[in-house]
Amino acid sequence: MKKNTTMTDPETYPTKKRFSLTVLLLFLLILFTYANTFFAPFNFDDEVVILHEIAATGDRFYQLYPPVYRHFFYLSLAANYTWGEANPLGYHLFNITLHFGTTVLVLFTAFLTLNRGMAVGRKDAVSISCFTVFLFALMPVHSEAVTYISARATSMSAFFYLLSLLFFILGSLKENRFRWRPPVYYLFSLFAFFAAVLSKETALTLPAIVLLYDLIFMKGSQWSPLKNRVYYYYLPILAGVVFVFILSPTLLSVILEWLPRLDLKYAASQPLVIFYAIKLLFIPINLTFDYDFNLRFFSQGMTLVLGVTLFLALGLAFLQKMTKGTGLYIFSLLWFLILLSPTNSFLPRTDLLSERNLYLPSFGLLLLGATIATGVFKSIRDRFPVWRSYGMVFLTTLFILYSALLIQRNSTYRSNILLWEDTVKKSPGKLRALHNLSHFYLTEENYQKAFVILKKLVASRASPFYRSIAHNNLGNIYTQQENPAQAEKEFLEAIRADPTIPTSYFNLASLHAAQGHFHQAKRGYEQAEERYAQYRWGYLTPAELAFNKAKVHFILGLFKEAEQDLYRYLQQVPGSVEGQLLLGKIYAATERRNQAIDTLKSIQGNPVDEAQAHNDLGVLYIEGKKPDEAILEFKKAVSLNPNLPDAHYNLALLLAETQNDPTQARQYLQTAMHLNQDPARREAIQKRLMVLEK
């Protein structure tokens, strides 16, 4: 007669208690080991994805239909942006919570696989699953998937992937007391699969994993008949595939378009990379954000191949002694290879290996390793009882070591410079790492270090893109150093290296505008605008381009064009005071004085901006022959911002001309002289002072 386990069953209660304690300890350990990443900044793709794409168009992801590429991933970022905008803390807390949820799913999936799929005793199954989940939770390789915000696509997909598999397992257990439970579990499994795919498309491997799991583990009286799984899971999956192809007829053409890209030569290079990935999971040292697998790595990889092969062979030899041990071995290896296949098989990628892509595949190998290690400890304990305590000492030491390595790895994310300095140190030949490090040196205004790296990049065999960006950044450094001739030379070199990149034209145009070459600046801004529209660079055209064009058009007297550019700018930045000030000048220049006055009067908030608005209003009142109102506006400007030279100058002239007050006018002129750095304006002020002194 079959034993019916309940909550009061003496065999079940300790298991639930151990699981509860394990989950609590997992939560505390994850919180502790990832605490130093709470305030880590945005990195790499984060700025483009969050500060440009999500900030500008994130609201569209709240509309769930029609689903778009990685819809749930972008929806989560949009929700983060709604709650905390550009504060990284909320994004990191979300990622860490997601990691905790995934570890809980790992715990229960491992336990059910061992206890029900392999007939491992409950006590041993709990021990192995707990061992597995702590390895997964504290794995240093997983730092990138959790701490790098844009890697959320991977961790979110992993969460739904495991949730889908867990619901499939629960629905397939024969002991479900209510008939409605299996169909509901299968339905939840399908929904979770859908969510996993909408988080990251690599989740499309799940049906293959489910079928593999079914073939290896779902044998025996504890599992429901195969026909139930066919009716409630496999047929709906098949129908869903057909429905997707019908709903999206272009999908087949996309697949056919990708087929010619399959590269056997690339696939031949992958075994060594995969062996290295296996090594990282068990010896997680020398981790880096951007791996550089050079020719030396491939020529000296035999030691790595022999070491990993020996480890796998010993594991197989040990597991063959266990019931269904060979099945677990096959499942674990195929889990790892199948889940890694979208990124490390036949489709060439720029990155041969990314740590975030090992996040979910690692579960198979960690379960395998934990099973082998637990079996070895048990054998030693049975033969040598005196060594009983050494197993716990080993595990404690291992988890402390992994925690220390994880905290150390997480510490590199505390700043962009730390992360990319670490990457360049470990992958000195990776040009992208040099490019990113130079970018963040520039962001921190460390021009000396940035200059050294940029010089290396322009002299290297980097792609035209990286050389163009390097020349462009050198031009920015020379601009900061007030060396316009050298800056112009670098911007032109950037355009020659890659004429499709708009930023080089933008910066060259800004340089020309600062030099007073406004016709050249106008053409440069137009060229930049053309390239932003023609080429996709992962971000929208900056609002500053329209504003700078408006200023140049205004100076050239092209008021209609200036107004059009400014309206486009104000649509993107509706609260811009600079835009309102320029709009007031355009209205004034086109004889719309009342509109100009209303626009300038609407400017409030910042004292500096208000002061400029009052100064411009004073000029308008002078043109309207209202000197008293003009004097009041200039005095307000001086009061709000005593360092505004134009307001002092205009007030001095008006006092001298309308109120015959040379003493006070002289004081304002002297202040304007002191504040003004423009030689031509200083000369004009000096002449005015000489006139007043006569």
Side-chain angles (χ1 to χ4, degrees):
M1 183 176 175
K2 186 177 178 180
K3 184 177 180 181
N4 183 26
T5 58
T6 65
M7 286 190 66
T8 58
D9 191 312
E11 190 177 339
T12 304
Y13 180 71
T15 300
K16 291 188 175 183
K17 185 177 180 180
R18 286 187 67 182
F19 276 165
S20 299
L21 291 174
T22 298
V23 170
L24 177 61
L25 185 56
L26 280 173
F27 175 77
L28 295 175
L29 280 174
I30 289 172
L31 200 63
F32 173 71
T33 52
Y34 282 93
N36 58 345
T37 69
F38 286 169
F39 300 100
F42 295 137
N43 203 286
F44 201 36
D45 290 339
D46 292 344
E47 290 189 7
V48 171
V49 173
I50 297 168
L51 301 183
H52 291 87
E53 187 172 355
I54 294 298
T57 63
D59 289 345
R60 65 192 173 101
F61 295 106
Y62 286 105
Q63 183 178 337
L64 297 181
Y65 187 84
V68 297
Y69 173 73
R70 298 189 180 182
H71 198 125
F72 282 8
F73 162 63
Y74 286 109
L75 175 61
S76 71
L77 293 179
N80 268 137
Y81 191 83
T82 300
W83 299 329
E85 294 190 348
N87 184 353
L89 176 61
Y91 298 85
H92 288 299
L93 289 177
F94 189 103
N95 278 22
I96 293 168
T97 303
L98 199 60
H99 178 53
F100 169 68
T102 305
T103 61
V104 174
L105 294 175
V106 165
L107 175 65
F108 289 107
T109 303
F111 173 76
L112 288 173
T113 300
L114 294 165
N115 183 240
R116 301 305 179 91
M118 291 183 61
V120 174
R122 184 178 292 270
K123 183 178 179 181
D124 288 340
V126 171
S127 298
I128 297 172
S129 58
C130 288
F131 189 179
T132 303
V133 79
F134 280 114
L135 286 174
F136 188 90
L138 302 175
M139 174 57 59
V141 175
H142 293 167
S143 174
E144 182 180 314
V146 181
T147 306
Y148 175 38
I149 294 169
S150 291
R152 180 186 297 176
T154 298
S155 56
M156 178 176 281
S157 179
F159 174 82
F160 287 118
Y161 198 105
L162 285 171
L163 186 63
S164 178
L165 178 60
L166 185 59
F167 276 129
F168 175 78
I169 296 170
L170 292 173
S172 301
L173 289 172
K174 197 173 184 179
E175 64 187 36
N176 286 303
R177 288 179 294 173
F178 301 101
R179 286 188 174 184
W180 55 266
R181 278 189 179 179
V184 170
Y185 282 140
Y186 288 133
L187 184 62
F188 284 165
S189 178
L190 294 172
F191 279 138
F193 171 48
F194 181 70
V197 173
L198 286 182
S199 299
K200 191 175 182 181
E201 61 285 351
T202 52
L204 288 168
T205 58
L206 181 60
I209 290 294
V210 167
L211 182 60
L212 181 67
Y213 194 99
D214 193 336
L215 293 173
I216 292 177
F217 298 119
M218 292 185 173
K219 300 173 183 178
S221 59
Q222 71 271 32
W223 300 102
S224 62
L226 175 62
K227 65 178 183 180
N228 289 2
R229 301 193 288 279
V230 171
Y231 291 150
Y232 295 122
Y233 188 85
Y234 293 120
L235 285 180
I237 283 282
L238 183 61
V241 171
V242 174
F243 179 74
V244 167
F245 274 102
I246 294 174
L247 194 65
S248 180
T250 59
L251 183 60
L252 182 60
S253 62
V254 171
I255 294 173
L256 293 175
E257 181 185 342
W258 274 92
L259 285 177
R261 301 185 187 183
L262 299 180
D263 190 336
L264 293 177
K265 185 178 179 181
Y266 176 83
S269 70
Q270 288 303 297
L272 195 56
V273 175
I274 291 172
F275 277 124
Y276 186 79
I278 294 173
K279 189 273 295 184
L280 285 179
L281 292 175
F282 294 100
I283 309 176
I285 58 175
N286 290 325
L287 304 178
T288 184
F289 195 82
D290 206 347
Y291 285 91
D292 183 20
F293 293 107
N294 50 36
L295 293 175
R296 183 180 177 185
F297 168 80
F298 288 103
S299 64
Q300 298 181 355
M302 189 54 63
T303 304
L304 175 65
V305 172
L306 291 174
V308 174
T309 303
L310 179 62
F311 166 76
L312 294 175
L314 290 173
L316 177 59
F318 182 85
L319 286 175
Q320 281 179 332
K321 300 177 182 179
M322 297 176 58
T323 304
K324 296 187 180 180
T326 304
L328 176 67
Y329 184 88
I330 294 171
F331 175 78
S332 298
L333 284 183
L334 288 181
W335 170 285
F336 182 75
L337 295 174
I338 290 172
L339 267 74
L340 207 56
S341 63
T343 56
N344 291 83
S345 57
F346 293 94
L347 287 175
R349 297 174 67 247
T350 304
D351 304 317
L352 291 180
L353 179 67
S354 298
E355 289 172 14
R356 58 187 176 273
N357 291 333
L358 299 177
Y359 185 71
L360 186 56
S362 69
F363 167 62
L365 291 183
L366 295 180
L367 176 61
L368 180 65
T371 305
I372 294 171
T374 304
V376 170
F377 291 150
K378 189 176 180 181
S379 298
I380 294 174
R381 182 190 63 191
D382 293 342
R383 292 187 181 185
F384 308 100
V386 71
W387 288 12
R388 183 181 299 270
S389 61
Y390 289 116
M392 288 304 300
V393 171
F394 173 80
L395 289 179
T396 303
T397 304
L398 179 65
F399 291 145
I400 290 174
L401 177 62
Y402 268 40
S403 298
L405 289 173
L406 177 57
I407 292 170
Q408 182 185 38
R409 182 63 189 150
N410 284 338
S411 68
T412 61
Y413 286 88
R414 286 179 296 133
S415 80
N416 288 302
I417 288 178
L418 282 175
L419 178 62
W420 290 104
E421 283 181 338
D422 176 79
T423 305
V424 168
K425 180 181 177 181
K426 295 171 181 174
S427 301
K430 197 75 172 184
L431 297 174
R432 181 171 59 188
L434 287 171
H435 163 76
N436 289 331
L437 181 56
S438 68
H439 167 77
F440 291 112
Y441 278 146
L442 287 172
T443 302
E444 297 293 326
E445 298 184 0
N446 193 334
Y447 299 122
Q448 185 175 358
K449 287 186 176 181
F451 187 86
V452 173
I453 293 179
L454 291 170
K455 280 294 187 181
K456 287 182 182 178
L457 276 172
V458 297
S460 70
R461 295 182 179 180
S463 66
F465 172 82
Y466 284 127
R467 284 188 287 108
S468 177
I469 295 294
H471 280 297
N472 180 66
N473 287 335
L474 282 170
N476 288 332
I477 291 176
Y478 284 123
T479 300
Q480 291 290 333
Q481 295 174 345
E482 297 183 358
N483 188 343
Q486 193 63 36
E488 182 173 5
K489 180 181 176 182
E490 293 295 343
F491 290 140
L492 291 172
E493 286 292 335
I495 291 170
R496 273 191 286 270
D498 191 337
T500 69
I501 299 177
T503 49
S504 306
Y505 297 93
F506 182 93
N507 291 332
L508 181 59
S510 298
L511 180 67
H512 285 152
Q515 294 174 307
H517 305 152
F518 297 112
H519 287 286
Q520 289 177 275
K522 176 178 179 297
R523 178 56 186 153
Y525 286 133
E526 289 170 350
Q527 290 173 316
E529 199 168 48
E530 289 168 5
R531 280 149 183 82
Y532 274 115
Q534 188 174 356
Y535 303 99
R536 291 181 59 86
W537 291 103
Y539 46 84
L540 302 174
T541 305
E544 291 78 13
L545 177 55
F547 182 68
N548 289 359
K549 275 186 68 185
K551 287 195 292 185
V552 168
H553 281 143
F554 178 79
I555 293 170
L556 292 174
L558 303 172
F559 302 125
K560 181 179 179 181
E561 291 85 347
E563 189 170 350
Q564 290 173 347
D565 290 327
L566 194 57
Y567 282 149
R568 285 195 293 114
Y569 170 72
L570 289 173
Q571 284 179 345
Q572 292 180 265
V573 192
S576 170
V577 174
E578 285 184 323
Q580 294 294 327
L581 287 169
L582 182 56
L583 185 61
K585 291 180 179 179
I586 292 172
Y587 285 149
T590 52
E591 298 183 357
R592 288 175 285 177
R593 187 168 286 109
N594 290 336
Q595 287 179 266
I597 291 172
D598 291 340
T599 300
L600 293 171
K601 282 184 175 181
S602 69
I603 296 173
Q604 295 179 352
N606 190 313
V608 174
D609 296 328
E610 281 193 48
Q612 186 63 55
H614 285 296
N615 179 74
D616 293 350
L617 278 170
V619 173
L620 285 173
Y621 285 134
I622 290 175
E623 293 173 354
K625 302 188 185 312
K626 297 179 179 179
D628 293 336
E629 287 89 337
I631 289 174
L632 288 174
E633 294 299 333
F634 291 138
K635 285 185 176 180
K636 287 179 184 178
V638 169
S639 174
L640 287 166
N641 182 13
N643 296 320
L644 184 62
D646 287 350
H648 288 278
Y649 181 77
N650 292 332
L651 183 55
L653 294 185
L654 203 56
L655 288 173
E657 293 174 2
T658 64
Q659 296 191 3
N660 194 24
D661 189 350
T663 302
Q664 197 172 8
R666 189 181 299 110
Q667 290 175 353
Y668 283 115
L669 279 175
Q670 288 172 344
T671 303
M673 171 74 82
H674 174 71
L675 295 172
N676 217 302
Q677 302 298 319
D678 184 2
R681 181 57 66 90
R682 287 174 65 88
E683 184 178 350
I685 295 171
Q686 186 63 47
K687 289 180 180 178
R688 291 285 184 180
L689 281 169
M690 292 174 62
V691 170
L692 288 175
E693 289 172 357
K694 290 182 180 179

